[in-house]
Amino acid sequence: MALHIDRSELYPSTVELYLPDRQVLITQLRQSNVVFAEICRDYELLAGDLNALIRCRPSSHPGTQAERDLLLESLQGLVREIETVLERNLGG
């Protein structure tokens, strides 16, 4: 199923903005877990790409919706990875 977003819907540009209630844990893990920090950077790069696409290219442009869908799918995969790491680290 394709994911659709409006031009007005920008994705939060950082993991901390996406999950504001977990900012402290995210910051700690970014500093202590190289893999987690890399996943967060990947999220931020893709969010930036998606937001640039939303701002700069009309949805009627050929291929735009498909490109948005691919970026969203990738972002959602990264969010799942991030949430998994956060859940594992909440208890200690």
Side-chain angles (χ1 to χ4, degrees):
M1 182 169 131
L3 303 167
H4 297 282
I5 55 176
D6 296 330
R7 283 182 61 83
S8 61
E9 292 182 50
L10 295 179
Y11 222 74
S13 60
T14 67
V15 176
E16 290 83 354
L17 290 174
Y18 187 80
L19 299 166
D21 58 324
R22 305 274 174 88
Q23 284 184 358
V24 172
L25 182 56
I26 291 166
T27 300
Q28 291 170 346
L29 288 171
R30 277 184 186 255
Q31 294 171 353
S32 64
N33 184 325
V34 174
V35 174
F36 182 78
E38 186 175 316
I39 293 168
C40 291
R41 281 191 300 276
D42 290 346
Y43 168 94
E44 291 160 358
L45 288 171
L46 286 177
D49 289 348
L50 177 62
N51 290 337
L53 182 66
I54 291 168
R55 283 192 292 269
C56 298
R57 212 189 280 169
S59 58
S60 60
H61 188 276
T64 298
Q65 189 60 50
E67 192 172 347
R68 286 182 189 181
D69 290 347
L70 288 172
L71 286 167
L72 276 172
E73 186 177 326
S74 295
L75 275 168
Q76 290 171 344
L78 289 170
V79 166
R80 283 191 296 274
E81 287 184 57
I82 289 165
E83 288 175 336
T84 298
V85 173
L86 292 174
E87 290 302 319
R88 272 189 285 174
N89 286 276
L90 274 176

